[in-house]
Amino acid sequence: MTTSEFTYGGQVIEFFKHDEKEFSELLDQKISRYNDNSEGLYFKEPAANIDWVRNKPINTALLELQEEWRKGYTLISSQYHTLDFRAQLRKPDKVIKSELRTLTEQVRADYERSRYERNVSETHRQVEITLSIKRRKEEAKAAAGLAAALAALQEDEEAALADLRRAYAEPACSQ
């Protein structure tokens, strides 16, 4: 099985299959974050809203803001302090739909990459478990062989000792 740049079945086993529920939850989180945040000085990721700031007199700032309204942006909130006009604008629906498509593709790619990395890690873990089991079996087999060799050696020693007892147990001939 292959998915775009990630190949399964050779060096990597697909332990973690694609889970649509998991993907949907991740996508919902990203979409929620997209809708709640504003692009601006502090948040650089795409968002449905933008922070629009002008350090100009209010009449000049409002003239520039009209241009944004013509482009389809809508005003959510605004504040004005001396030579500091701040507004939060919502992007036009066409832009939001386009960015959401891009966001969905990005989330799908990130999910597939994350899933592949988990599968790589799990494949390595399973290989280590298999090798560990094999080593333990070989060690047990070697230990059993060593025990058998020691038992045979002990039997040989006992037989030699028994031969010596028999040989020296007979009384010596006197002349």
Side-chain angles (χ1 to χ4, degrees):
M1 294 178 65
T2 61
T3 57
S4 62
E5 61 193 87
F6 308 115
T7 305
Y8 293 100
Q11 296 294 321
V12 179
I13 308 301
E14 189 174 15
F15 292 100
F16 302 102
K17 307 284 186 195
H18 179 85
D19 184 357
E20 194 61 36
K21 181 181 175 190
E22 183 181 18
F23 170 73
S24 295
E25 288 172 359
L26 185 61
L27 182 61
D28 290 345
Q29 289 172 357
K30 294 287 188 173
I31 289 174
S32 176
R33 186 172 181 181
Y34 174 85
N35 284 320
D36 292 344
N37 288 323
S38 292
E39 290 178 27
L41 295 173
Y42 305 108
F43 189 78
K44 300 295 182 189
E45 294 180 26
N49 306 312
I50 61 169
D51 292 328
W52 192 81
V53 179
R54 293 296 182 268
N55 296 322
K56 299 178 178 184
I58 192 164
N59 59 340
T60 308
L62 288 176
L63 289 173
E64 290 182 19
L65 183 59
Q66 283 181 343
E67 289 301 314
E68 300 302 322
W69 286 335
R70 287 187 192 118
K71 293 178 189 174
Y73 289 86
T74 55
L75 180 66
I76 295 175
S77 65
S78 64
Q79 296 177 353
Y80 180 74
H81 302 287
T82 308
L83 293 179
D84 185 28
F85 184 79
R86 297 176 182 270
Q88 189 177 54
L89 304 176
R90 181 133 181 110
K91 294 178 180 176
D93 288 339
K94 182 172 71 171
V95 173
I96 290 174
K97 286 178 185 177
S98 172
E99 287 183 347
L100 283 176
R101 277 192 300 275
T102 303
L103 180 69
T104 301
E105 292 168 8
Q106 178 187 0
V107 169
R108 185 174 309 281
D110 290 346
Y111 173 71
E112 290 300 325
R113 183 179 308 101
S114 167
R115 193 170 67 83
Y116 186 77
E117 290 169 359
R118 286 186 296 162
N119 281 313
V120 167
S121 179
E122 184 65 15
T123 299
H124 289 305
R125 190 177 82 80
Q126 292 294 332
V127 166
E128 285 300 317
I129 289 171
T130 303
L131 290 176
S132 175
I133 290 170
K134 186 176 180 180
R135 276 192 297 267
R136 276 188 264 143
K137 284 180 181 178
E138 289 174 359
E139 288 169 359
K141 190 176 177 182
L146 182 60
L150 288 174
L153 182 60
Q154 188 174 1
E155 286 177 14
D156 289 345
E157 286 178 6
E158 289 174 3
L161 186 60
D163 286 344
L164 286 173
R165 275 191 215 130
R166 267 186 264 123
Y168 289 97
E170 296 177 9
C173 294
S174 53
Q175 297 194 354

